[in-house]
Amino acid sequence: MVKIMIKVLLVGGGGREDAIARSITRSGGELYSFMKNENPSIIRNSRDYRIGDELDHSTILNYALEKNIDIAFVSPDPVLDTPLVDSLTAKGIAVASPNQSAARIETSKEYMRNLLLEHNIPGNIDYRIFKDYEEMACYVRKSDDEYAIKPIGLTGGKGVRVMGEQIGSRDEAISYGDEVIKRNGEVLVEKKVTGEEFSLQVYSDGAHISPMPIVQDYKRAFEGDKGPNTGGMGSISDHDGLLPIVKKAAVEQAKGILQKVVDAMREDGNPFRGVMYGQFMQAPDGAKIIEINSRFGDPEGMNVLTLLEDDFTEVLFGIAGGNLKTSHNYMKKATVLKYIVPDGYGISPMPGELEVDPESENDAFRIYYSAVSGSMQKVKMSSSRSLALIGIADSIPEASDIVESKLGSIHGKYSMRHDIGTREFLKKKMEKVS
Ligand code: GLY
């Protein structure tokens, strides 16, 4: 019998997309990739690939038509903010990603906060949007509350500044708010919430959700959660799909909140089909929404895809076809991911070359290739993150030990956070929450 291969188009060329690419090929999909960098691992897994501008939606559409693609997965947030998904759908190609309008749940924090408010969805936090400097300055000055100052649109995870963290004083908060208004015409001022952060990613077909194991990611560039915010330096998940530092009740609330968001978007005629990723804070009065994204987290997507036991291509068809299963199977293992980045990453990156031994990968260790080019063995770094190393074990510290024990397979000048997932690191976190 001739096996008919499903042709899957993947847009994006980072470490997260490398994990997606491997999930597609592992489930028997024939991979076609469009990306801006020659990611050697994605290329190795692809039947065919094209390098180009990921924002050039007409070229990607033509590529999909030329290759008779059956289903597409559009991964990076800037690409979801183009008409690509709508134009693929208009040509009859199934897509397991949100269209530009539904992606506003991430690309417009104003849309997201207003949706929560209008539908009375729990987990919202006090917020105001200002276009006028005087009004913003007066609001921030008149109370003792601390605030997070955020641009409305996409910032690659680097535009948010929080009082007591990146902002040292009320005057500094006002001056950053002024900078954002001058640049973007408006600014979002949210009341600061404190607590333990966690990421909940779910698949959604516009009506149902299928929650994935929760993950915690670490954005600060340096060990001990110090230094500037980055796209993320690493992440952890535990064998039971929960985390010792996050209460099960907060996770259940978070699942309920994302289901309500999916329901509200459908009721408003803007259904969300794809991966929705909520970044939550476990506050004393319950789970609060810090952000909602319209894609897998980077790095968080790599933790969960590494553990997924079900057929990923089937998940994609479930999303696109509106018949998604509401739960999927994951290995009962912990994961620790540590990113290898160029020296100076987050401040003034100095990309060089890395020598990698891909043969060091095994059932307990993966190397996902990120914003790099070159070959599997000789990797050319860019100024962004380079390699995501994941250990898979029965516990978080053991998964961290695996990553550390495999560092001999990577040579070159790089930085990484060794502390993520270690016993000492978890102990400090547990002390903080108890
Ligand atoms: N983990 C941060 C992000 O994906 O936006």
Side-chain angles (χ1 to χ4, degrees), residues 35-165:
M35 56 194 157
K36 58 177 188 259
N37 51 305
E38 292 196 337
N39 183 313
S41 182
I42 298 181
I43 290 175
R44 185 179 61 158
N45 279 288
S46 299
R47 172 89 170 81
D48 186 71
Y49 70 95
R50 198 63 55 89
I51 302 297
D53 177 0
E54 292 170 4
L55 300 181
D56 179 0
H57 51 96
S58 6
T59 299
I60 303 176
L61 173 66
N62 287 335
Y63 179 60
L65 292 171
E66 181 195 316
K67 297 295 172 191
N68 288 315
I69 293 299
D70 296 302
I71 188 160
F73 188 79
V74 181
S75 177
D77 35 300
V79 189
L80 292 167
D81 196 17
T82 73
L84 177 62
V85 170
D86 280 318
S87 43
L88 289 164
T89 310
K91 292 290 179 189
I93 299 172
V95 191
S97 308
N99 67 5
Q100 192 171 11
S101 174
R104 279 185 297 151
I105 198 71
E106 168 164 14
T107 58
S108 168
K109 293 185 182 71
E110 182 171 9
Y111 171 78
M112 183 270 280
R113 289 279 170 220
N114 289 345
L115 183 95
L116 299 178
L117 191 67
E118 281 157 21
H119 289 264
N120 210 9
I121 297 174
N124 209 358
I125 48 189
D126 287 347
Y127 72 99
R128 292 280 300 271
I129 291 161
F130 295 99
K131 294 187 166 55
D132 179 73
Y133 167 76
E134 287 302 337
E135 282 180 29
M136 179 273 300
C138 178
Y139 178 80
V140 173
R141 211 171 270 134
K142 82 167 187 265
S143 98
D144 290 337
D145 287 335
E146 289 195 301
Y147 296 102
I149 311 292
K150 301 183 174 184
I152 301 286
L154 296 176
T155 59
K158 294 156 202 140
V160 173
R161 294 196 196 162
V162 183
M163 288 173 71
E165 294 176 24

Side-chain angles (χ1 to χ4, degrees), residues 217 219 231 277 295 297-300:
D217 80 321
K219 296 193 180 64
Y277 145 41
R295 54 180 169 84
D298 186 349
E300 296 96 317

